[in-house]
Amino acid sequence: MEIDEAAWASLYSTVSRPFDAPETGKIAVKVINHYGDEVIKVCDVGNGSNGSPRQKKVWTAPTC
């Protein structure tokens, strides 16, 4: 199996890859530390419900 090191390294970030805003306007973020402890938080990212089209979103950890 080949591992794309650049793709794997891109996962270690506090900024997400762009994603379509869900219709609910909420996302769940799961963090797992090196001890295996898990935390899940539901965050409001908006959904373009103000009449504007849904846009790509980028989520930054400290804003949640």
Side-chain angles (χ1 to χ4, degrees):
M1 174 184 350
E2 291 185 36
I3 296 176
D4 183 341
E5 294 295 334
W8 188 252
S10 74
L11 298 175
Y12 289 96
S13 176
T14 59
V15 178
S16 75
R17 294 180 180 168
F19 60 93
D20 290 327
E23 291 181 11
T24 62
K26 297 184 183 296
I27 61 169
V29 177
K30 183 175 189 175
V31 177
I32 306 171
N33 70 12
H34 61 285
Y35 296 114
D37 301 325
E38 299 180 13
V39 176
I40 297 176
K41 181 167 182 160
V42 176
C43 302
D44 184 5
V45 295
N47 63 357
S49 61
N50 60 359
S52 62
R54 287 175 42 205
Q55 300 176 1
K56 292 275 186 187
K57 299 285 185 176
V58 174
W59 183 76
T60 303
T63 63
C64 181

